[in-house]
Amino acid sequence: MMSPNHVSEDRGPPQSASFRHTPLQIIHVIGNFMRIWSIYSMYHYLSQTGASVFLFMFSCLVPSSILFLAFQKPWKGRPLSNAQVVPSVINGGITALYFILWVKGLKSCGPVRAILAEYSGAVLGVLSAALYGRKSHLWRKVGGLIAIMASFYFLAQGWAMASYSPFSFKDSIDSEVQTENVLGVKEMVVPIIAGILSALRRVIARRVSLKNQLKRRLHAITTASATCFLFPIAMWDTILGSTSASSIVLPFSAWPYLNTILFGIILIFYVDSIAEERLHMVFSSPRHLMVAGGCIIVLEIAYKMDFSLPGFMICTTILGFGIYEATSLDRYKKDALHTRNISEGSLDDQIQMPSLPT
């Protein structure tokens, strides 16, 4: 006859659950690597040619929106309500503003600081705690916010660059290494605001669409709306000709455009959707930052950038700690719910499984 201990052991989760997520984790790493690679390609193209930021992003958003509309076909299937379409259109304006500010920040601050500034959206967690969270956890979120701001200050001071890092022991920098300048706090404001807008557009998309398929259909509308918002700005910039006076005339290269369209806009959306739905990994999370940090290290070395590994590790560690504390509200709720489910489950086992007769 079966014993109670044997029944409770069969109720445990299978150990092979983590192995099922391994292919998805590999896809997530590869997708983020390709996206960050497209950022480095974009940075070198914009810095060498002095091309217009508005025209470059508009040229990338037009084919991206066409491909999203062709893939998702938002006009087919269940009709979308105005309560879903109108916020998606407004989200398109936020997305267009995010792209403009972030690419400008990329051009002026460099890839490392621009990529890490995207995680400034974690400050929305502090705002949510102040409005809806427990006051006992507010001080931890404020501490996380201070850590995030400190990491951005150290990045602006050049801690991630071998030329200015206090942890770099090189007497001279190789002539082939591409150096960057030390920035002030004001220069970091633009990519930080772009990171907050990026988090805001993700929150709006998550609130409007409850189902995964609906989220993809609405994202096609958002991308098309962002293209429409960016069209008059790009045309006005083209008419005025706001290219840099010190720009170098180089042959047209389609690779930065294709790289940004395929990997920087289209592929990364599906990869982040898979990570959020299947791996429960949101963008502003320490795990996502760890993946991005590894990709940055590889590409900084491959492109022979002015890079200090110890300074970069210190900045990302402080940033990861700040993100962990600033986004801790949902984690507290999940831990409390998990503890409650365990206690209820053990109580059910005691009630439903009396001692069996011998």
Side-chain angles (χ1 to χ4, degrees), residues 57 61 90-102 197 201 222 225-231 233:
M57 283 312 306
L61 281 177
I90 297 175
N91 201 16
I94 299 175
T95 303
L97 183 59
Y98 151 72
F99 277 123
I100 293 173
L101 294 178
W102 187 80
L197 290 176
R201 70 187 181 95
T222 299
S225 174
T227 307
C228 296
F229 277 108
L230 198 56
F231 172 74
I233 302 176

Side-chain angles (χ1 to χ4, degrees), residues 289-343:
L289 176 63
M290 182 175 62
V291 174
C295 298
I296 290 174
I297 292 173
V298 173
L299 290 172
E300 284 285 317
I301 297 174
Y303 276 91
K304 296 182 179 180
M305 303 291 287
D306 188 8
F307 182 65
S308 172
L309 181 60
F312 175 78
M313 293 299 296
I314 291 175
C315 293
T316 52
T317 301
I318 298 174
L319 180 60
F321 171 77
I323 293 173
Y324 180 84
E325 294 296 331
T327 59
S328 58
L329 181 62
D330 294 336
R331 185 169 60 253
Y332 294 147
K333 292 181 178 179
K334 290 179 180 179
D335 292 342
L337 182 61
H338 180 67
T339 305
R340 180 181 176 183
N341 291 336
I342 291 177
S343 61

Side-chain angles (χ1 to χ4, degrees), residues 14-25:
Q15 297 181 356
S16 61
S18 60
F19 294 98
R20 291 199 299 266
H21 295 309
T22 301
L24 299 178
Q25 293 173 351

